[in-house]
Amino acid sequence: MYEYAFYGMSALLLIIGVVLIAVPRICTKKEFQDVPEQVQNTRKMGYFYIAFGVLLLVVKFLIDM
């Protein structure tokens, strides 16, 4: 059961990252949606989420070796 926790968390992080990259304006707070820097920061956070999801998969692979 617990061996699937890494896969579930990685999938969740990857999905959240894709959503943050695809629609950053919707994911930004309402009062900051018109500020381009905040929207760009939201998009950058999406890249970090994806990178962390991939990192979790790599760690799981290394643990299972």
Side-chain angles (χ1 to χ4, degrees):
M1 173 86 178
Y2 292 113
E3 61 267 5
Y4 298 116
F6 278 99
Y7 299 124
M9 189 58 137
S10 294
L12 183 66
L13 287 171
L14 291 173
I15 290 169
I16 290 172
V18 169
V19 170
L20 286 173
I21 291 171
V23 285
R25 179 164 271 178
I26 293 172
C27 299
T28 307
K29 282 186 174 181
K30 188 168 180 90
E31 59 265 9
F32 297 120
Q33 286 180 352
D34 295 328
V35 180
E37 294 130 4
Q38 287 296 100
V39 175
Q40 189 63 24
N41 286 340
T42 303
R43 184 171 280 133
K44 286 179 189 175
M45 191 54 93
Y47 290 120
F48 285 121
Y49 271 80
I50 289 176
F52 192 66
V54 171
L55 181 68
L56 276 179
L57 287 176
V58 169
V59 167
K60 175 65 175 162
F61 176 74
L62 291 175
I63 288 173
D64 288 343
M65 265 175 69

